[in-house]
Amino acid sequence: MPFPVAQLRLALLLLLTLAPIPALAGPVSTCDANGSLYYVGEWYFPDSDPCTQCECTPEGPACARTDCAALPPACIHISHYPSDCCPRCERVGCEHRGQVYELGQHFQPSECEQCTCDIDGIARCLMADCAPPPCVNPVYEKGHCCPTCKDGPNCYVDGSQRQIIPSGESVRVGHCMYCRCHDGQDAGYWEGNRLAKCDLLPGCQTTVGHHA
């Protein structure tokens, strides 16, 4: 005998009505941490990790690590305290070409520079101002900024720059000419006069191949 359709529908309705419905999870109103309750919107640091900050949200705690600010590049002394998440810069100096110097310190990064670490944390440098050397063959030596004249003051006899003579005295060049350099004391004169001043001897006859 077939089961009446009306009675089947009634039985299904009764089952749905009487069956227990599981409770839906509602939004969170508090968060439990550090032995305390925090309400939604409150911030806190877990006791187990002072470098993590959390916010109590309706979905539960939302946590993130604390971002530490970059320390100054010229920090001389860095401290780490147990109660702090980030390191501290206790003393700042001057940074110059990758090196750190104390405030007020004078230093020489190269032979030609004199620098001072000023109290504002900026290194200020002065470059050596070298006078033109009183010779045509100066040399640069290690440990010295400015070139020196190892052979003393001198100059070229003429524009060919093949012959060098010492300064301060007349030098006979060839048969009929005397040449004289500057004396090495007048820098202004030297800058534009790298050649000797030459004079012909009175009544001397020059020959081919010699200076005139």
Side-chain angles (χ1 to χ4, degrees), residues 184-200:
Q185 301 301 317
D186 189 348
Y189 173 84
W190 165 245
E191 288 184 39
N193 295 272
R194 295 165 57 87
L195 303 180
K197 181 180 179 181
C198 299
D199 297 307
L200 286 173

PDB file of all heavy atoms in Angstrom, residues 184-200:
ATOM      1  N   GLY A 184     113.169  80.529  -8.183  1.00  0.00           N
ATOM      2  CA  GLY A 184     112.312  79.626  -7.413  1.00  0.00           C
ATOM      3  C   GLY A 184     111.577  80.275  -6.277  1.00  0.00           C
ATOM      4  O   GLY A 184     110.822  79.619  -5.565  1.00  0.00           O
ATOM      5  N   GLN A 185     111.733  81.576  -6.090  1.00  0.00           N
ATOM      6  CA  GLN A 185     111.081  82.241  -4.972  1.00  0.00           C
ATOM      7  C   GLN A 185     109.782  82.932  -5.395  1.00  0.00           C
ATOM      8  O   GLN A 185     108.889  83.114  -4.600  1.00  0.00           O
ATOM      9  CB  GLN A 185     112.045  83.282  -4.361  1.00  0.00           C
ATOM     10  CG  GLN A 185     113.350  82.687  -3.871  1.00  0.00           C
ATOM     11  CD  GLN A 185     113.135  81.629  -2.800  1.00  0.00           C
ATOM     12  OE1 GLN A 185     112.320  81.808  -1.900  1.00  0.00           O
ATOM     13  NE2 GLN A 185     113.854  80.530  -2.912  1.00  0.00           N
ATOM     14  N   ASP A 186     109.718  83.348  -6.620  1.00  0.00           N
ATOM     15  CA  ASP A 186     108.552  84.083  -7.095  1.00  0.00           C
ATOM     16  C   ASP A 186     107.577  83.116  -7.770  1.00  0.00           C
ATOM     17  O   ASP A 186     107.726  82.784  -8.937  1.00  0.00           O
ATOM     18  CB  ASP A 186     108.992  85.163  -8.073  1.00  0.00           C
ATOM     19  CG  ASP A 186     107.853  86.101  -8.445  1.00  0.00           C
ATOM     20  OD1 ASP A 186     106.697  85.770  -8.115  1.00  0.00           O
ATOM     21  OD2 ASP A 186     108.131  87.157  -9.041  1.00  0.00           O
ATOM     22  N   ALA A 187     106.579  82.662  -6.996  1.00  0.00           N
ATOM     23  CA  ALA A 187     105.641  81.665  -7.528  1.00  0.00           C
ATOM     24  C   ALA A 187     104.832  82.234  -8.677  1.00  0.00           C
ATOM     25  O   ALA A 187     104.529  81.556  -9.651  1.00  0.00           O
ATOM     26  CB  ALA A 187     104.713  81.171  -6.426  1.00  0.00           C
ATOM     27  N   GLY A 188     104.450  83.523  -8.568  1.00  0.00           N
ATOM     28  CA  GLY A 188     103.668  84.119  -9.631  1.00  0.00           C
ATOM     29  C   GLY A 188     104.433  84.147 -10.938  1.00  0.00           C
ATOM     30  O   GLY A 188     103.878  83.912 -12.006  1.00  0.00           O
ATOM     31  N   TYR A 189     105.712  84.398 -10.856  1.00  0.00           N
ATOM     32  CA  TYR A 189     106.553  84.394 -12.055  1.00  0.00           C
ATOM     33  C   TYR A 189     106.665  82.980 -12.616  1.00  0.00           C
ATOM     34  O   TYR A 189     106.577  82.751 -13.815  1.00  0.00           O
ATOM     35  CB  TYR A 189     107.935  84.947 -11.711  1.00  0.00           C
ATOM     36  CG  TYR A 189     108.942  84.821 -12.842  1.00  0.00           C
ATOM     37  CD1 TYR A 189     109.013  85.771 -13.860  1.00  0.00           C
ATOM     38  CD2 TYR A 189     109.813  83.727 -12.897  1.00  0.00           C
ATOM     39  CE1 TYR A 189     109.923  85.639 -14.897  1.00  0.00           C
ATOM     40  CE2 TYR A 189     110.724  83.595 -13.933  1.00  0.00           C
ATOM     41  CZ  TYR A 189     110.777  84.551 -14.926  1.00  0.00           C
ATOM     42  OH  TYR A 189     111.674  84.415 -15.941  1.00  0.00           O
ATOM     43  N   TRP A 190     106.827  82.021 -11.705  1.00  0.00           N
ATOM     44  CA  TRP A 190     107.064  80.639 -12.133  1.00  0.00           C
ATOM     45  C   TRP A 190     105.870  80.047 -12.871  1.00  0.00           C
ATOM     46  O   TRP A 190     106.013  79.306 -13.838  1.00  0.00           O
ATOM     47  CB  TRP A 190     107.416  79.796 -10.925  1.00  0.00           C
ATOM     48  CG  TRP A 190     107.318  78.312 -11.184  1.00  0.00           C
ATOM     49  CD1 TRP A 190     106.461  77.447 -10.620  1.00  0.00           C
ATOM     50  CD2 TRP A 190     108.090  77.553 -12.124  1.00  0.00           C
ATOM     51  NE1 TRP A 190     106.639  76.191 -11.119  1.00  0.00           N
ATOM     52  CE2 TRP A 190     107.638  76.226 -12.048  1.00  0.00           C
ATOM     53  CE3 TRP A 190     109.105  77.870 -13.011  1.00  0.00           C
ATOM     54  CZ2 TRP A 190     108.166  75.214 -12.817  1.00  0.00           C
ATOM     55  CZ3 TRP A 190     109.626  76.853 -13.785  1.00  0.00           C
ATOM     56  CH2 TRP A 190     109.162  75.551 -13.682  1.00  0.00           C
ATOM     57  N   GLU A 191     104.653  80.392 -12.449  1.00  0.00           N
ATOM     58  CA  GLU A 191     103.472  79.757 -13.027  1.00  0.00           C
ATOM     59  C   GLU A 191     103.415  79.919 -14.544  1.00  0.00           C
ATOM     60  O   GLU A 191     102.966  79.032 -15.257  1.00  0.00           O
ATOM     61  CB  GLU A 191     102.205  80.335 -12.393  1.00  0.00           C
ATOM     62  CG  GLU A 191     102.003  79.892 -10.957  1.00  0.00           C
ATOM     63  CD  GLU A 191     100.700  80.416 -10.403  1.00  0.00           C
ATOM     64  OE1 GLU A 191      99.694  80.433 -11.141  1.00  0.00           O
ATOM     65  OE2 GLU A 191     100.679  80.810  -9.232  1.00  0.00           O
ATOM     66  N   GLY A 192     103.870  81.062 -15.063  1.00  0.00           N
ATOM     67  CA  GLY A 192     103.794  81.244 -16.502  1.00  0.00           C
ATOM     68  C   GLY A 192     105.143  81.232 -17.186  1.00  0.00           C
ATOM     69  O   GLY A 192     105.238  81.591 -18.362  1.00  0.00           O
ATOM     70  N   ASN A 193     106.191  80.832 -16.488  1.00  0.00           N
ATOM     71  CA  ASN A 193     107.536  80.885 -17.070  1.00  0.00           C
ATOM     72  C   ASN A 193     108.313  79.620 -16.727  1.00  0.00           C
ATOM     73  O   ASN A 193     109.081  79.567 -15.777  1.00  0.00           O
ATOM     74  CB  ASN A 193     108.293  82.115 -16.557  1.00  0.00           C
ATOM     75  CG  ASN A 193     107.670  83.416 -17.019  1.00  0.00           C
ATOM     76  OD1 ASN A 193     107.994  83.924 -18.082  1.00  0.00           O
ATOM     77  ND2 ASN A 193     106.762  83.932 -16.211  1.00  0.00           N
ATOM     78  N   ARG A 194     108.071  78.594 -17.519  1.00  0.00           N
ATOM     79  CA  ARG A 194     108.780  77.332 -17.320  1.00  0.00           C
ATOM     80  C   ARG A 194     110.050  77.278 -18.156  1.00  0.00           C
ATOM     81  O   ARG A 194     110.784  76.313 -18.092  1.00  0.00           O
ATOM     82  CB  ARG A 194     107.876  76.166 -17.682  1.00  0.00           C
ATOM     83  CG  ARG A 194     106.661  76.031 -16.772  1.00  0.00           C
ATOM     84  CD  ARG A 194     105.603  75.122 -17.367  1.00  0.00           C
ATOM     85  NE  ARG A 194     106.097  73.801 -17.664  1.00  0.00           N
ATOM     86  CZ  ARG A 194     106.125  72.790 -16.775  1.00  0.00           C
ATOM     87  NH1 ARG A 194     105.709  72.988 -15.536  1.00  0.00           N
ATOM     88  NH2 ARG A 194     106.576  71.604 -17.130  1.00  0.00           N
ATOM     89  N   LEU A 195     110.298  78.319 -18.939  1.00  0.00           N
ATOM     90  CA  LEU A 195     111.485  78.355 -19.791  1.00  0.00           C
ATOM     91  C   LEU A 195     112.480  79.383 -19.273  1.00  0.00           C
ATOM     92  O   LEU A 195     112.110  80.394 -18.677  1.00  0.00           O
ATOM     93  CB  LEU A 195     111.103  78.702 -21.232  1.00  0.00           C
ATOM     94  CG  LEU A 195     110.074  77.785 -21.905  1.00  0.00           C
ATOM     95  CD1 LEU A 195     109.812  78.267 -23.320  1.00  0.00           C
ATOM     96  CD2 LEU A 195     110.550  76.342 -21.897  1.00  0.00           C
ATOM     97  N   ALA A 196     113.744  79.109 -19.499  1.00  0.00           N
ATOM     98  CA  ALA A 196     114.814  80.034 -19.094  1.00  0.00           C
ATOM     99  C   ALA A 196     114.815  81.272 -19.995  1.00  0.00           C
ATOM    100  O   ALA A 196     114.302  81.263 -21.121  1.00  0.00           O
ATOM    101  CB  ALA A 196     116.159  79.326 -19.178  1.00  0.00           C
ATOM    102  N   LYS A 197     115.412  82.319 -19.477  1.00  0.00           N
ATOM    103  CA  LYS A 197     115.634  83.521 -20.269  1.00  0.00           C
ATOM    104  C   LYS A 197     117.073  83.464 -20.783  1.00  0.00           C
ATOM    105  O   LYS A 197     118.012  83.375 -19.993  1.00  0.00           O
ATOM    106  CB  LYS A 197     115.423  84.770 -19.426  1.00  0.00           C
ATOM    107  CG  LYS A 197     115.629  86.061 -20.207  1.00  0.00           C
ATOM    108  CD  LYS A 197     115.403  87.275 -19.319  1.00  0.00           C
ATOM    109  CE  LYS A 197     115.631  88.555 -20.122  1.00  0.00           C
ATOM    110  NZ  LYS A 197     115.437  89.758 -19.288  1.00  0.00           N
ATOM    111  N   CYS A 198     117.257  83.503 -22.074  1.00  0.00           N
ATOM    112  CA  CYS A 198     118.578  83.310 -22.655  1.00  0.00           C
ATOM    113  C   CYS A 198     119.040  84.569 -23.406  1.00  0.00           C
ATOM    114  O   CYS A 198     118.227  85.274 -24.023  1.00  0.00           O
ATOM    115  CB  CYS A 198     118.565  82.116 -23.608  1.00  0.00           C
ATOM    116  SG  CYS A 198     118.138  80.545 -22.803  1.00  0.00           S
ATOM    117  N   ASP A 199     120.350  84.822 -23.356  1.00  0.00           N
ATOM    118  CA  ASP A 199     120.960  85.966 -24.047  1.00  0.00           C
ATOM    119  C   ASP A 199     122.179  85.501 -24.830  1.00  0.00           C
ATOM    120  O   ASP A 199     122.970  84.674 -24.360  1.00  0.00           O
ATOM    121  CB  ASP A 199     121.383  87.041 -23.042  1.00  0.00           C
ATOM    122  CG  ASP A 199     120.190  87.625 -22.292  1.00  0.00           C
ATOM    123  OD1 ASP A 199     119.235  88.068 -22.962  1.00  0.00           O
ATOM    124  OD2 ASP A 199     120.206  87.607 -21.031  1.00  0.00           O
ATOM    125  N   LEU A 200     122.323  86.075 -26.001  1.00  0.00           N
ATOM    126  CA  LEU A 200     123.508  85.781 -26.814  1.00  0.00           C
ATOM    127  C   LEU A 200     124.714  86.557 -26.288  1.00  0.00           C
ATOM    128  O   LEU A 200     124.598  87.710 -25.844  1.00  0.00           O
ATOM    129  CB  LEU A 200     123.252  86.171 -28.269  1.00  0.00           C
ATOM    130  CG  LEU A 200     122.319  85.258 -29.072  1.00  0.00           C
ATOM    131  CD1 LEU A 200     122.030  85.882 -30.440  1.00  0.00           C
ATOM    132  CD2 LEU A 200     122.930  83.884 -29.226  1.00  0.00           C
TER     133      LEU A 200
END
